[in-house]
């Protein structure tokens, strides 16, 4: 059996999603599967880098397709990039996929399930749709189809048809899985395969041993971190409000690492508000990831409540691995909020409650013992419930079941825990 991963970005040193795909693919290769990854020749946030058309990463044969590269910041240019990746991926699968193959189809770019469904049907291969983000629901909730709701409904119908042809559908959260069960035929095989983080790649580093804190002038500070994508799905006004309320606290700093659609707006707002307590840094290379995440004493994760069924903030699992508490800003009954409540590895704040966020930060500053205890709990949660080894075992079990059945996999019921 050959397993083919299809996603626009496959690289161990890029976004959390890209690293997750690479880690699963490399683990399967180490366990004896023949693994091919089909991706683009570009990196997630580097406009100038062009990768070789073929390479081997951790036992994975990576095939990189030539596409346009206008970048992620302009909507029209991104749409052109999407189109050419769809076209190239379709062509490659029609030429190279075979009847015994299983293609793990990811969700970057949107509608990849539609393109691959046609190509894989032509070749008689099977697919597992790994649904990390739901499109077009995300765009609909953000108002991008407000002027053309019919297009949004058509897009959802196409998506439902395409993933409905899968041998299996992998969802990272119970909220997303329940939503898709309502959307699709009851016969559609939906599996709950939670996201994770590699505890060997990201691990706790004490503040005193972290040279990045010294390099960035953060020694003797309580550092409140945000790390990752500044995307449309995230909310930053609550964070800016809290930072403004805490601007006169000389021992508190906000460390904002990453980039994305809202990054320029957040930087501009911080300048206008005179928030000298807010420090911005670019995304860090993979070899610095543990140090980068551990440069913060507490991390912030935000998600717009209307997107709870569409998106899972992957950064949360890296924070667990780093052994740091999380303050979640969003739906108090959401997926991340439920984990935090169940285990006590952080705090939850509703969007717009900047004063409560500032108060929570002061509380964690003043109670060092409690803050450290939350971090220890976070690491235990990762080890017990969201570990790399557990994720690999579940993926192998799913693929082996598909290989034995040669057709659709029966619905997998799993105990739903926080």
């Amino acid at each position: 059996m050959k397993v083919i991963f299809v996603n626009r970005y496959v690289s161990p040193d890029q976004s959390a999603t890209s690293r997750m795909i690479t880690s699963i693919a490399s683990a399967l290769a180490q366990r004896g599967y023949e693994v091919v990854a089909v991706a683009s020749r570009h990196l997630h946030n580097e406009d100038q880098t062009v990768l070789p058309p073929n390479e081997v990463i951790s036992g994975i044969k990576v095939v990189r397709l030539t596409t346009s590269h206008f970048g992620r910041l302009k909507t029209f240019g991104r749409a052109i990039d999407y189109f050419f990746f769809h076209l190239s991926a379709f062509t490659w699968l029609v030429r190279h996929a075979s009847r015994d193959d299983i293609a793990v189809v990811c969700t970057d770019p949107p509608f990849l399930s539609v393109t691959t469904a046609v190509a894989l049907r032509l070749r008689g291969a099977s697919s597992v749709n790994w649904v990390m983000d739901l499109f077009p629901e995300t765009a609909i909730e953000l108002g991008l189809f407000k002027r053309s709701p019919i297009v949004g409904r058509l897009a959802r119908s196409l998506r439902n048809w395409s993933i409905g042809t899968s041998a299996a559908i992998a969802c990272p959260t119970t909220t997303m899985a329940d939503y898709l069960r309502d959307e699709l035929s009851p016969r559609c095989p939906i599996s709950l395969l939670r996201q994770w983080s590699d505890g060997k790649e990201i691990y706790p580093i004490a503040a005193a041993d972290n040279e990045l804190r010294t390099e960035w002038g953060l020694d003797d500070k309580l550092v409140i971190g945000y790390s990752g994508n500044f995307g449309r799905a995230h909310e930053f006004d609550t964070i800016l409000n809290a930072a403004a309320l805490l601007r006169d606290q000389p021992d508190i700093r906000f460390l904002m690492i990453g980039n994305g659609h809202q990054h320029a707006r957040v930087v501009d707002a911080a300048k206008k508000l005179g928030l000298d307590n807010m420090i911005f840094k670019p995304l860090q290379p993979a070899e610095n990831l543990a140090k980068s995440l551990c440069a913060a004493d507490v991390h912030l994760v935000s998600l717009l409540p209307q997107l709870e069924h569409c998106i899972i903030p992957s950064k949360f699992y890296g924070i667990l691995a780093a052994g740091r508490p999380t303050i979640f800003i969003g739906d108090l009954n959401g997926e991340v909020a439920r984990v935090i409540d169940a285990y006590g590895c952080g705090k939850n704040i509703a969007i717009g409650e900047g004063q409560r966020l500032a108060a929570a930060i002061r509380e964690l500053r003043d109670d060092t013992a409690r803050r450290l205890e939350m971090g220890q709990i976070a690491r235990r949660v990762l080890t017990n419930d969201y570990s790399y080894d557990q994720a690999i075992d579940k993926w192998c079990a799913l693929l082996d079941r598909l290989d034995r059945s040669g057709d659709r996999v029966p619905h997998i019921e799993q105990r739903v825990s926080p």
Side-chain angles (χ1 to χ4, degrees):
M1 173 180 59
K2 180 168 64 182
V3 182
I4 304 171
F5 285 82
V6 187
N7 193 67
R8 195 153 59 114
Y9 300 113
V10 174
S11 177
D13 57 355
Q14 286 295 294
S15 67
T17 299
S18 177
R19 291 195 304 272
M20 197 167 293
I21 294 167
T22 307
S23 66
I24 280 287
S26 62
L28 293 176
Q30 290 167 14
R31 294 196 183 190
Y33 293 83
E34 180 184 358
V35 181
V36 176
V38 179
S40 76
R41 296 186 63 184
H42 302 283
L43 293 175
H44 184 265
N45 286 302
E46 295 183 24
D47 292 337
Q48 305 304 318
T49 303
V50 179
L51 300 171
N54 296 282
E55 59 180 327
V56 177
I57 300 176
S58 302
I60 313 162
K61 179 184 176 182
V62 183
V63 177
R64 298 197 180 275
L65 308 175
T66 299
T67 65
S68 63
H69 188 57
F70 290 95
R72 295 175 56 84
L73 296 181
K74 299 294 185 181
T75 302
F76 182 72
R78 186 190 292 198
I80 295 175
D81 293 345
Y82 286 170
F83 171 79
F84 280 106
F85 185 83
H86 276 278
L87 182 62
S88 297
F90 176 86
T91 303
W92 189 92
L93 288 170
V94 167
R95 289 177 176 175
H96 298 284
S98 62
R99 181 170 294 278
D100 294 331
D101 294 345
I102 297 177
V104 179
V105 180
C106 304
T107 48
D108 186 8
F111 294 120
L112 194 55
S113 62
V114 178
T115 304
T116 55
V118 176
L120 294 170
R121 278 196 156 193
L122 289 172
R123 299 297 298 172
S126 302
S127 68
V128 175
N129 268 279
W130 188 359
V131 185
M132 301 177 185
D133 302 314
L134 275 180
F135 192 90
E137 283 84 352
T138 299
I140 291 170
E141 295 292 350
L142 292 173
L144 300 183
F145 284 121
K146 189 176 294 184
R147 294 184 178 180
S148 51
I150 295 176
V151 175
R153 289 195 293 271
L154 176 61
R156 187 163 61 186
S157 296
L158 279 172
R159 191 278 318 280
N160 288 349
W161 166 79
S162 62
I163 66 173
T165 66
S166 306
I169 302 165
C171 288
T173 72
T174 54
T175 305
M176 188 183 294
D178 290 343
Y179 174 81
L180 284 177
R181 288 189 186 102
D182 291 337
E183 282 283 300
L184 304 174
S185 164
R187 294 178 299 167
C188 287
I190 298 175
S191 301
L192 182 62
L193 296 180
R194 296 191 184 278
Q195 295 197 3
W196 71 93
S197 189
D198 188 343
K200 295 178 182 177
E201 177 187 86
I202 303 175
Y203 47 86
I205 300 173
D209 300 327
N210 192 337
E211 59 263 32
L212 276 184
R213 286 179 63 105
T214 300
E215 180 183 333
W216 291 343
L218 298 172
D219 288 337
D220 302 321
K221 308 292 185 187
L222 177 76
V223 181
I224 310 301
Y226 180 92
S227 180
N229 184 28
F230 285 63
R232 290 181 175 92
H234 308 294
E235 198 272 348
F236 295 97
D237 290 342
T238 305
I239 299 171
L240 289 164
N241 187 8
L245 292 170
L246 296 169
R247 77 176 87 207
D248 296 328
Q249 304 291 314
D251 56 344
I252 297 176
R253 291 292 182 271
F254 289 78
L255 175 63
M256 311 292 284
I257 300 175
N259 53 28
H261 179 78
Q262 294 199 70
H263 185 267
R265 183 188 75 80
V266 176
V267 171
D268 185 59
K271 288 180 180 178
K272 289 179 178 177
L273 291 169
L275 300 181
D276 296 332
N277 57 345
M278 189 168 274
I279 301 165
F280 292 88
K281 296 292 181 181
L283 282 173
Q284 299 300 297
E287 60 269 22
N288 277 353
L289 191 56
K291 293 177 184 177
S292 172
L293 288 174
C294 290
D297 300 292
V298 179
H299 277 271
L300 303 173
V301 174
S302 73
L303 181 65
L304 295 174
Q306 65 266 34
L307 298 178
E308 270 289 337
H309 66 293
C310 304
I311 293 174
I312 180 68
S314 300
K315 60 175 69 69
F316 176 60
Y317 303 98
I319 296 165
L320 293 177
R324 295 296 190 266
T326 296
I327 299 179
F328 176 70
I329 305 164
D331 185 350
L332 300 183
N333 295 311
E335 195 84 19
V336 172
R338 289 198 296 267
V339 175
I340 291 173
D341 278 341
Y343 296 105
C345 55
K347 292 177 176 291
N348 296 311
I349 304 292
I351 286 176
E353 294 186 334
Q355 289 189 348
R356 282 197 63 199
L357 176 57
I361 291 170
R362 290 192 196 96
E363 181 183 334
L364 292 173
R365 175 196 62 186
D366 298 338
D367 193 345
T368 302
R370 177 59 180 148
R371 186 178 75 244
L372 295 176
E373 181 186 19
M374 284 180 172
Q376 292 168 357
I377 293 171
R379 181 69 185 191
R380 288 200 299 271
V381 170
L382 175 92
T383 302
N384 294 336
D385 296 322
Y386 302 101
S387 74
Y388 174 67
D389 290 337
Q390 289 174 333
I392 300 304
D393 288 342
K394 290 177 180 177
W395 271 98
C396 286
L398 174 60
L399 293 171
D400 289 344
R401 188 179 294 110
L402 281 174
D403 191 36
R404 289 195 302 270
S405 69
D407 195 358
R408 300 181 69 89
V409 62
H411 178 79
I412 300 174
E413 291 289 350
Q414 296 190 16
R415 178 178 65 85
V416 177
S417 58

mmCIF file of all heavy atoms in Angstrom, residues 373-386:
data_model
loop_
_atom_site.group_PDB
_atom_site.id
_atom_site.type_symbol
_atom_site.label_atom_id
_atom_site.label_comp_id
_atom_site.label_asym_id
_atom_site.label_seq_id
_atom_site.Cartn_x
_atom_site.Cartn_y
_atom_site.Cartn_z
ATOM 1 N N GLU A 373 2.248 25.377 38.299
ATOM 2 C CA GLU A 373 1.440 24.161 38.399
ATOM 3 C C GLU A 373 0.599 23.976 37.137
ATOM 4 O O GLU A 373 0.477 22.864 36.611
ATOM 5 C CB GLU A 373 0.533 24.223 39.629
ATOM 6 C CG GLU A 373 -0.327 22.974 39.805
ATOM 7 C CD GLU A 373 -1.326 23.110 40.943
ATOM 8 O OE1 GLU A 373 -1.615 24.252 41.358
ATOM 9 O OE2 GLU A 373 -1.819 22.069 41.424
ATOM 10 N N MET A 374 0.008 25.064 36.631
ATOM 11 C CA MET A 374 -0.770 24.975 35.387
ATOM 12 C C MET A 374 0.105 24.481 34.240
ATOM 13 O O MET A 374 -0.336 23.686 33.404
ATOM 14 C CB MET A 374 -1.345 26.349 35.030
ATOM 15 C CG MET A 374 -2.528 26.778 35.859
ATOM 16 S SD MET A 374 -3.090 28.428 35.306
ATOM 17 C CE MET A 374 -4.605 28.585 36.268
ATOM 18 N N GLY A 375 1.349 24.955 34.186
ATOM 19 C CA GLY A 375 2.266 24.510 33.141
ATOM 20 C C GLY A 375 2.583 23.028 33.256
ATOM 21 O O GLY A 375 2.644 22.315 32.241
ATOM 22 N N GLN A 376 2.761 22.538 34.462
ATOM 23 C CA GLN A 376 3.022 21.109 34.665
ATOM 24 C C GLN A 376 1.814 20.272 34.254
ATOM 25 O O GLN A 376 1.951 19.210 33.628
ATOM 26 C CB GLN A 376 3.381 20.864 36.126
ATOM 27 C CG GLN A 376 4.712 21.469 36.532
ATOM 28 C CD GLN A 376 4.917 21.482 38.036
ATOM 29 O OE1 GLN A 376 4.040 21.092 38.808
ATOM 30 N NE2 GLN A 376 6.085 21.927 38.464
ATOM 31 N N ILE A 377 0.624 20.766 34.582
ATOM 32 C CA ILE A 377 -0.602 20.078 34.171
ATOM 33 C C ILE A 377 -0.693 20.039 32.650
ATOM 34 O O ILE A 377 -1.057 19.018 32.054
ATOM 35 C CB ILE A 377 -1.845 20.771 34.769
ATOM 36 C CG1 ILE A 377 -1.869 20.611 36.286
ATOM 37 C CG2 ILE A 377 -3.125 20.203 34.157
ATOM 38 C CD1 ILE A 377 -2.939 21.452 36.978
ATOM 39 N N ALA A 378 -0.353 21.151 32.012
ATOM 40 C CA ALA A 378 -0.424 21.224 30.546
ATOM 41 C C ALA A 378 0.436 20.132 29.910
ATOM 42 O O ALA A 378 0.005 19.439 28.973
ATOM 43 C CB ALA A 378 0.022 22.603 30.071
ATOM 44 N N ARG A 379 1.638 19.962 30.409
ATOM 45 C CA ARG A 379 2.530 18.938 29.854
ATOM 46 C C ARG A 379 1.947 17.537 30.070
ATOM 47 O O ARG A 379 2.030 16.680 29.181
ATOM 48 C CB ARG A 379 3.910 19.067 30.497
ATOM 49 C CG ARG A 379 4.933 18.063 29.991
ATOM 50 C CD ARG A 379 5.340 18.315 28.555
ATOM 51 N NE ARG A 379 6.238 17.254 28.072
ATOM 52 C CZ ARG A 379 6.917 17.292 26.950
ATOM 53 N NH1 ARG A 379 6.808 18.350 26.145
ATOM 54 N NH2 ARG A 379 7.689 16.305 26.580
ATOM 55 N N ARG A 380 1.341 17.297 31.245
ATOM 56 C CA ARG A 380 0.726 15.992 31.506
ATOM 57 C C ARG A 380 -0.454 15.738 30.565
ATOM 58 O O ARG A 380 -0.674 14.617 30.107
ATOM 59 C CB ARG A 380 0.271 15.880 32.962
ATOM 60 C CG ARG A 380 1.420 15.734 33.957
ATOM 61 C CD ARG A 380 0.917 15.154 35.263
ATOM 62 N NE ARG A 380 -0.073 15.996 35.909
ATOM 63 C CZ ARG A 380 0.219 16.979 36.766
ATOM 64 N NH1 ARG A 380 1.485 17.248 37.059
ATOM 65 N NH2 ARG A 380 -0.739 17.690 37.327
ATOM 66 N N VAL A 381 -1.234 16.795 30.280
ATOM 67 C CA VAL A 381 -2.363 16.655 29.353
ATOM 68 C C VAL A 381 -1.853 16.225 27.984
ATOM 69 O O VAL A 381 -2.429 15.343 27.326
ATOM 70 C CB VAL A 381 -3.162 17.974 29.261
ATOM 71 C CG1 VAL A 381 -4.180 17.917 28.129
ATOM 72 C CG2 VAL A 381 -3.867 18.259 30.580
ATOM 73 N N LEU A 382 -0.760 16.853 27.528
ATOM 74 C CA LEU A 382 -0.188 16.454 26.242
ATOM 75 C C LEU A 382 0.204 14.983 26.267
ATOM 76 O O LEU A 382 -0.144 14.214 25.371
ATOM 77 C CB LEU A 382 1.035 17.306 25.917
ATOM 78 C CG LEU A 382 1.731 16.825 24.632
ATOM 79 C CD1 LEU A 382 1.202 17.573 23.432
ATOM 80 C CD2 LEU A 382 3.234 16.915 24.727
ATOM 81 N N THR A 383 0.941 14.582 27.284
ATOM 82 C CA THR A 383 1.451 13.214 27.361
ATOM 83 C C THR A 383 0.319 12.193 27.416
ATOM 84 O O THR A 383 0.380 11.145 26.764
ATOM 85 C CB THR A 383 2.348 13.058 28.598
ATOM 86 O OG1 THR A 383 3.429 14.009 28.516
ATOM 87 C CG2 THR A 383 2.923 11.659 28.686
ATOM 88 N N ASN A 384 -0.727 12.511 28.170
ATOM 89 C CA ASN A 384 -1.814 11.548 28.382
ATOM 90 C C ASN A 384 -2.832 11.506 27.249
ATOM 91 O O ASN A 384 -3.403 10.450 26.960
ATOM 92 C CB ASN A 384 -2.531 11.855 29.700
ATOM 93 C CG ASN A 384 -1.647 11.641 30.907
ATOM 94 O OD1 ASN A 384 -0.682 10.869 30.855
ATOM 95 N ND2 ASN A 384 -1.938 12.343 31.995
ATOM 96 N N ASP A 385 -3.092 12.650 26.610
ATOM 97 C CA ASP A 385 -4.225 12.735 25.679
ATOM 98 C C ASP A 385 -3.886 13.200 24.267
ATOM 99 O O ASP A 385 -4.660 12.921 23.334
ATOM 100 C CB ASP A 385 -5.298 13.676 26.243
ATOM 101 C CG ASP A 385 -5.897 13.162 27.538
ATOM 102 O OD1 ASP A 385 -6.083 11.939 27.650
ATOM 103 O OD2 ASP A 385 -6.180 13.978 28.424
ATOM 104 N N TYR A 386 -2.784 13.911 24.080
ATOM 105 C CA TYR A 386 -2.499 14.502 22.772
ATOM 106 C C TYR A 386 -1.058 14.249 22.341
ATOM 107 O O TYR A 386 -0.413 15.110 21.749
ATOM 108 C CB TYR A 386 -2.776 16.008 22.800
ATOM 109 C CG TYR A 386 -4.184 16.358 23.193
ATOM 110 C CD1 TYR A 386 -4.482 16.788 24.483
ATOM 111 C CD2 TYR A 386 -5.233 16.242 22.283
ATOM 112 C CE1 TYR A 386 -5.783 17.100 24.859
ATOM 113 C CE2 TYR A 386 -6.536 16.544 22.650
ATOM 114 C CZ TYR A 386 -6.796 16.968 23.936
ATOM 115 O OH TYR A 386 -8.090 17.276 24.298
#
